Amino acid sequence: MSLALMLALAASPVDGEKLFLERVYPVMKDKCFACHGDDPKKVRGKLDMRTRKALIEGGDSGTPSLMPGDPEGSPLYIAVTRKDDELVMPPKDNDKLSGPQVDAIRDWILAGAPWPADADKRAVKKWDDVGPAGVTVATSGGRSADWTERKYLPADIWAYQPIRKPAVPSGAAHPIDSFVRAKLKDKGITRVAPPAERRTLLRRATIDLTGLPPTEKDDGAAFETVIDRLLASPRYGEQWARHWLDVSRYADTSGFANDYERPNAWRYRDYVVRSFNADKPYDRFVLEQVAGDEIDPADPEMLIATGFLRMGPWEHTAMTVAAVTRQQFLDDVTHHVGVTLLGQGLRCAQCHDHKFDPIPTRDYYGIQAVFGSTQFADRTAPFVPAENVASLAAGKENTQLRLGEVRRRKQVINARQEVAVAAFLKARGVEKITDIPLAERDNAGQLGLTKDDLTLRKLLNQQDEYLSRELLRYEAFAFSVYAGPLREYTSKKVLNEMPGKMVGTVPVVHILPNGSIESPADAVVPGVLSAVSGALAYKVPDTTAGRRLAFARWVASRENTLTARVIVNRVWQYHFGRGLVATANNFGKMGGKPTHPELLDWLATWLMDNGWSLKKLHKLIMTSATYQQGGVHPDLAKLREIDARNELNAYFTPRRMEAEEVRDGMLAVTGELSPERGGPGVFPEINWEVALQPRHVMGAVAPSYQPSRTPDERNRRTLYTYRYRTLNDPLLEVFNRPGSDISCERRDETTVTPQVFGLFNSEYVHDRALALAIALQGKPRPVAEAFQRAYGRAPTVDEGRAAAAHVTKMTKHHQAHPAKPRPVPKTVKRNMVEEMTGENIVWEETLDLMDGYERDKKAWDVGPQTRALADLCLVLFNSNEFLYVR
């Protein structure tokens, strides 16, 4: 045995075999064996993961995949951490391992990677065989007696137990500090980081609450006063709405092959902003999003709120089965409500009783039955005074002009065909197409047109549909739902209006073993999660209307053991980078356990006792010494031995600004950030190659991405930019802005080479650097002012000298190398393979919004000295001091 392995085993208190059987092997079976062992004839990369010996031997690479005692040297561990772009496993983002799962694999390898010979048999039993410490949980009942009567370790079902407000430990003036320091003391940590310096703390608080860096000098106000001022800023609602929209999967389009616009989804986004700014009690916020239409169908705000239920991707085409797409919606909304509001993934119970948590499949379909009467509708909802409608008239006029041009071009083609058809009918001596033999009618429909004409007309028809949807962006409809009998929808339908009559019945929801709609089992009635303490007695009516409201009242009740815990954990996570429960969407057995369970329950109770006010919760957290401490611990070496991930909060963990904060922060520093709030999404400049790539929507090419005409429109906060599901801004994407298909519980924070290209080489960031340089023109000390704007401080003597020398050097360079103007594109060549003939069709698309386009200032618009100063500004934007919150 190697010295490294002996030391690792000696230092590790982990029972490696137990860890393997309970945590590691089940994950391997679930995530790995499908490609690496279940079918011996199709083992990918010749890497069979079913035995320890095979893992050590490795696959095609010829190197071991597992090195017992050395996680960092084991490709198996490196792959699951996803830190190496060349070695990522499982390959799909949806299948990636959670933090606790990755930690389990690391600890197992450190413990020598033990692998009992009968692992498969014992691991399956191990989940249920919890010994005398196990307890049963009363539920609505599983599909078998064994499942119904199985036992759980109390630590695995903590989230289903009632919330008890614990006594605050002694030792600190602030309750949060008391809980945190008590936990540190228990672990042998007696020292914490000293307080952060004021400038660092003010920047931290400002970015946390508003998503923007401070742009004004410190006025010396007390920190509590600063917090109050930030919470009162309308920018607060924009920042915290963005967090909620990550969780609720907001997008302006539907996704899949039919990535059509959802014209009025922006009203839901603005509803969320208003709710946070108004400090709407969180329990009311939940009620409105799940059942606003049942609370008050006459209130536009309530109709807009229920857009939450439709935020997931969805499509239905002529090639899909209505019953299947309906079931897909029901599965989506059931799971989505679970992870978002209850911190409990429900999808595992879609096919069978949950393997690990006390969630019978009956509960899954009982919650699904809550939404069994939920139907889509674009409901008439007059604009409310708080909504920004200032740009609607101009936007509508612009879309009408574009739509008119599309229809004019269609008419030219149709007119040519009409002349040819008329001549054809005259020659046949008949008056209409129906008078000729059936076999000849298809050919008659193409008379006078070339193959290119036919394809172009199909494209124009698609653009007509696309722009007709866009017109609805400016109308007073809510992307909403209602309770009623089943209806059928299609993706192509521009508007789903409320039915004139509620005709038909609500289908009964059945348990679907293995998730198959072809084999329904028992019928179920609407219900809740029965394992939650007290939930078995709660009844949801089996009526068409009222199901969702009753369910929402249970979700938002004090008796629900999950809801308050979940939201205080999310707020804590966004302030500290990690929640008290690391898996914000999963409070089940396979999720993380609370690092401070007493603090979590104390905060949950405190929130409910304080009217479910999130603003009060922010202030409580931010006035603690735990939040205000610095980022360097006085005994870091010892701390890393005890708490390498800083889960106990002995110091403040720095974080990189999130993608939107990077973009918005640059605009704020340059002075370009528009103060306008709300309204339909705007279109900033993005990489032109990405912007002009063809985006297919159901067999045809959608209109090209074109940025909004004026800088004021383009320089809105990123929150207000139009959110496609199938077209991402590469600058935001490379800085880990998540997609909108699944709920994002916590953003990744990767450090990869493309971020350099996005931040140092992109035209967008160069434009922001130039804008800052232009703003500094005429200032007596432009270099010092650049530092003050970017960092909130003056440069040091050495920094000032180096920066001034760089500007001088680059001025000479730019004098010798003048910038060459580049025009904006006015047209783009398109080609498409015609699906009916296989022929390649080529045409030219006019970028109509580029007429009258107001460009940002470019390098050729300014002199060499300004360009040189812009080079310095570019460096500042690329620095860690600008990009990180400390």
Side-chain angles (χ1 to χ4, degrees):
M1 183 183 294
S2 71
L3 177 61
L5 178 55
M6 288 190 292
L7 290 173
L9 291 174
S12 174
V14 172
D15 182 338
E17 182 173 305
K18 181 174 184 291
L19 180 66
F20 177 75
L21 294 170
E22 292 190 359
R23 303 290 300 278
V24 176
Y25 192 75
V27 169
M28 286 185 173
K29 285 191 70 175
D30 184 41
K31 302 284 189 178
C32 309
F33 288 1
C35 296
H36 295 287
D38 279 351
D39 186 346
K41 296 179 181 178
K42 297 181 180 179
V43 176
R44 296 199 179 175
K46 295 184 179 178
L47 176 62
D48 189 336
M49 294 181 62
R50 294 174 300 167
T51 67
R52 184 177 189 269
K53 179 175 180 291
L55 271 173
I56 292 175
E57 290 176 351
D60 279 340
S61 68
T63 59
S65 293
L66 172 67
M67 297 183 67
D70 184 7
E72 299 298 336
S74 299
L76 167 65
Y77 175 69
I78 295 169
V80 299
T81 64
R82 309 177 80 82
K83 291 180 179 178
D84 184 342
D85 289 345
E86 301 298 321
L87 186 61
V88 173
M89 288 292 164
K92 294 182 179 179
D93 285 344
N94 288 356
D95 294 331
K96 70 180 180 182
L97 272 57
S98 67
Q101 290 171 333
V102 173
D103 292 347
I105 290 175
R106 178 200 62 204
D107 294 345
W108 167 66
I109 296 174
L110 271 175
W115 191 308
D118 56 350
D120 190 69
K121 189 174 183 180
R122 291 176 62 195
V124 172
K125 281 187 64 182
K126 206 72 176 177
W127 287 109
D128 296 330
D129 184 13
V130 297
V135 296
T136 57
V137 176
T139 69
S140 61
R143 302 283 289 163
S144 69
D146 286 346
W147 189 94
T148 301
E149 296 166 6
R150 77 178 182 179
K151 293 184 177 182
Y152 304 83
L153 290 174
D156 291 337
I157 55 171
W158 65 271
Y160 300 100
Q161 307 311 307
I163 300 173
R164 308 294 186 198
K165 190 171 186 177
V168 178
S170 60
H174 196 290
I176 288 177
D177 299 328
S178 295
F179 282 107
V180 170
R181 290 178 185 180
K183 180 66 70 172
L184 289 168
K185 186 177 179 180
D186 287 345
K187 297 295 184 180
I189 303 170
T190 58
R191 304 173 70 187
V192 295
E197 64 172 346
R198 182 174 171 87
R199 180 177 63 86
T200 299
L201 183 58
L202 292 179
R203 187 172 190 271
R204 180 191 301 170
T206 306
I207 295 176
D208 272 6
L209 289 182
T210 70
L212 300 170
T215 54
E216 297 179 1
K217 292 186 178 179
D218 181 7
D219 63 2
F223 187 57
E224 282 195 40
T225 303
V226 173
I227 294 173
D228 290 336
R229 192 162 57 207
L230 294 170
L231 289 171
S233 166
R235 297 306 198 187
Y236 160 77
E238 295 171 336
Q239 169 75 340
W240 284 81
R242 181 176 63 80
H243 293 320
W244 184 257
L245 297 176
D246 266 6
V247 179
S248 62
R249 310 174 295 168
Y250 174 80
D252 290 293
T253 62
S254 293
F256 299 121
N258 282 288
D259 197 31
Y260 283 117
E261 177 168 0
R262 292 174 165 175
N264 308 106
W266 64 270
R267 299 185 72 185
Y268 171 75
R269 174 248 287 154
D270 289 355
Y271 156 82
V272 176
V273 175
R274 289 194 296 275
S275 297
F276 277 102
N277 273 332
D279 198 21
K280 183 174 291 179
Y282 182 72
D283 57 344
R284 176 69 183 191
F285 186 55
V286 169
L287 281 174
E288 291 177 358
Q289 291 179 94
V290 176
D293 60 310
E294 295 188 335
I295 294 172
D296 185 357
D299 184 349
E301 195 83 336
M302 297 301 98
L303 302 183
I304 294 166
T306 56
F308 168 81
L309 300 175
R310 294 182 61 188
M311 277 297 120
W314 182 86
E315 73 173 357
H316 176 78
T317 72
M319 295 177 285
T320 51
V321 178
V324 172
T325 51
R326 173 64 179 174
Q327 186 60 42
Q328 288 170 345
F329 163 72
L330 291 174
D331 288 331
D332 177 89
V333 75
T334 302
H335 178 72
H336 175 52
V337 164
V339 296
T340 303
L341 304 178
L342 304 173
Q344 180 63 71
L346 302 177
R347 189 167 285 139
C348 288
Q350 175 183 345
C351 300
H352 47 71
D353 296 327
H354 204 290
K355 289 184 178 180
F356 313 127
D357 296 327
I359 304 175
T361 191
R362 183 174 301 279
D363 279 8
Y364 175 87
Y365 287 100
I367 293 176
Q368 191 164 108
V370 169
F371 303 99
S373 62
T374 301
Q375 310 298 332
F376 297 171
D378 301 304
R379 301 185 65 163
T380 301
F383 293 114
V384 300
E387 290 184 286
N388 181 355
V389 297
S391 65
L392 298 192
K396 182 176 182 179
E397 180 181 5
N398 180 64
T399 301
Q400 286 173 328
L401 290 172
R402 296 172 68 196
L403 183 58
E405 176 59 18
V406 167
R407 290 175 176 173
R408 183 194 65 77
R409 295 175 66 190
K410 278 203 304 183
Q411 183 54 37
V412 170
I413 296 173
N414 291 338
R416 191 157 62 244
Q417 183 182 37
E418 288 168 7
V419 171
V421 170
F424 173 80
L425 294 176
K426 184 177 181 180
R428 289 297 186 94
V430 297
E431 294 184 357
K432 50 187 182 294
I433 291 289
T434 53
D435 293 334
I436 64 174
L438 186 62
E440 299 181 27
R441 290 181 192 172
D442 286 343
N443 291 333
Q446 300 178 11
L447 288 170
L449 303 181
T450 65
K451 292 177 180 177
D452 285 1
D453 286 334
L454 293 169
T455 297
L456 181 57
R457 184 167 64 181
K458 182 172 76 172
L459 291 166
L460 291 170
N461 284 334
Q462 183 82 305
Q463 294 195 0
D464 192 323
E465 291 180 10
Y466 200 91
L467 293 171
S468 294
R469 268 184 173 76
E470 188 174 307
L471 268 182
L472 293 176
R473 192 188 297 170
Y474 313 106
E475 302 295 336
F477 290 101
F479 185 65
S480 188
V481 298
Y482 70 95
L486 186 63
R487 291 174 70 193
E488 290 191 10
Y489 313 91
T490 68
S491 298
K492 293 175 74 68
K493 192 171 183 181
V494 174
L495 187 68
N496 289 300
E497 297 179 276
M498 289 287 288
K501 295 181 180 180
M502 296 291 182
V503 178
T505 58
V506 176
V508 174
V509 171
H510 291 259
I511 293 174
L512 304 179
N514 299 316
S516 172
I517 64 172
E518 288 84 9
S519 305
D522 301 344
V524 295
V525 295
V528 297
L529 279 182
S530 58
V532 171
S533 178
L536 271 172
Y538 194 87
K539 301 300 180 185
V540 177
D542 191 13
T543 53
T544 299
R547 301 182 185 194
R548 278 184 284 113
L549 183 55
F551 175 77
R553 284 177 173 149
W554 172 77
V555 172
S557 68
R558 291 184 66 99
E559 288 69 37
N560 190 318
T561 67
L562 295 165
T563 306
R565 283 171 169 150
V566 168
I567 190 59
V568 298
N569 187 64
R570 291 194 194 281
V571 173
W572 185 277
Q573 172 185 289
Y574 290 128
H575 279 303
F576 291 96
R578 179 189 178 95
L580 297 169
V581 179
T583 51
N585 278 4
N586 186 358
F587 278 27
K589 175 175 180 173
M590 298 303 288
K593 298 296 187 289
T595 55
H596 301 73
E598 296 85 5
L599 174 57
L600 180 66
D601 276 11
W602 188 89
L603 288 172
T605 310
W606 187 95
L607 176 72
M608 294 186 286
D609 289 345
N610 283 270
W612 296 80
S613 167
L614 296 184
K615 284 192 176 183
K616 290 180 181 178
L617 179 62
H618 289 301
K619 188 170 182 178
L620 176 72
I621 291 172
M622 296 173 72
T623 52
S624 70
T626 302
Y627 178 81
Q628 295 179 31
Q629 63 191 340
V632 179
H633 192 270
D635 196 356
L636 195 57
K638 179 181 178 183
L639 181 66
R640 283 177 173 164
E641 292 177 4
I642 300 172
D643 183 21
R645 292 174 177 262
N646 193 32
E647 294 176 355
L648 303 181
N649 298 291
Y651 62 92
F652 188 88
T653 304
R655 70 168 177 88
R656 194 182 61 217
M657 290 198 295
E658 293 178 342
E660 297 90 336
E661 293 170 339
V662 173
R663 178 183 178 273
D664 295 349
M666 287 189 288
L667 289 170
V669 167
T670 64
E672 298 174 286
L673 185 64
S674 169
E676 186 176 358
R677 302 190 300 275
V682 296
F683 299 83
E685 279 193 7
I686 66 174
N687 178 281
W688 280 104
E689 289 185 9
V690 174
L692 297 182
Q693 68 182 1
R695 193 172 65 89
H696 290 262
V697 175
M698 204 55 195
V701 178
S704 290
Y705 180 98
Q706 298 183 62
S708 301
R709 276 200 172 106
T710 68
D712 280 348
E713 293 173 279
R714 298 194 296 272
N715 293 337
R716 300 277 304 279
R717 286 200 77 163
T718 310
L719 174 78
Y720 298 123
T721 60
Y722 192 91
R723 189 82 185 265
Y724 292 96
R725 277 196 157 94
T726 56
L727 177 64
N728 292 316
D729 181 338
L731 180 64
L732 301 177
E733 186 177 25
V734 78
F735 280 99
N736 305 115
R737 187 193 200 186
S740 301
D741 290 346
I742 61 174
S743 176
C744 175
E745 64 176 3
R746 181 184 178 197
R747 292 193 180 192
D748 294 329
E749 188 178 304
T750 60
T751 302
V752 294
T753 303
Q755 291 166 349
V756 178
F757 303 135
L759 206 58
F760 207 81
N761 295 349
S762 76
E763 184 175 0
Y764 182 85
V765 181
H766 274 258
D767 286 349
R768 303 289 71 76
L770 185 63
L772 179 53
I774 292 171
L776 298 176
Q777 283 182 328
K779 301 286 184 181
R781 301 176 63 217
V783 169
E785 180 73 14
F787 273 78
Q788 187 64 47
R789 289 200 182 201
Y791 298 158
R793 66 169 176 85
T796 64
V797 173
D798 288 344
E799 287 172 337
R801 287 174 181 163
H806 182 68
V807 171
T808 299
K809 178 182 176 181
M810 295 310 296
T811 299
K812 294 178 181 178
H813 171 81
H814 289 305
Q815 286 171 339
H817 300 86
K820 298 179 181 179
R822 295 192 308 274
V824 295
K826 296 293 183 70
T827 60
V828 59
K829 282 193 174 181
R830 290 276 181 242
N831 69 289
M832 184 182 77
V833 175
E834 171 54 54
E835 61 181 343
M836 302 304 292
T837 66
E839 295 187 6
N840 190 47
I841 307 299
V842 179
W843 75 98
E844 187 172 80
E845 180 183 355
T846 300
L847 304 177
D848 41 21
L849 292 183
M850 294 298 98
D851 284 335
Y853 186 73
E854 297 179 31
R855 297 188 74 162
D856 294 329
K857 290 289 185 180
K858 299 292 182 180
W860 53 85
D861 296 321
V862 300
Q865 191 168 11
T866 304
R867 290 170 60 196
L869 186 57
D871 290 335
L872 171 63
C873 296
L874 182 66
V875 172
L876 299 181
F877 283 149
N878 277 264
S879 65
N880 280 354
E881 187 167 353
F882 177 76
L883 291 172
Y884 277 80
V885 179
R886 301 185 183 277

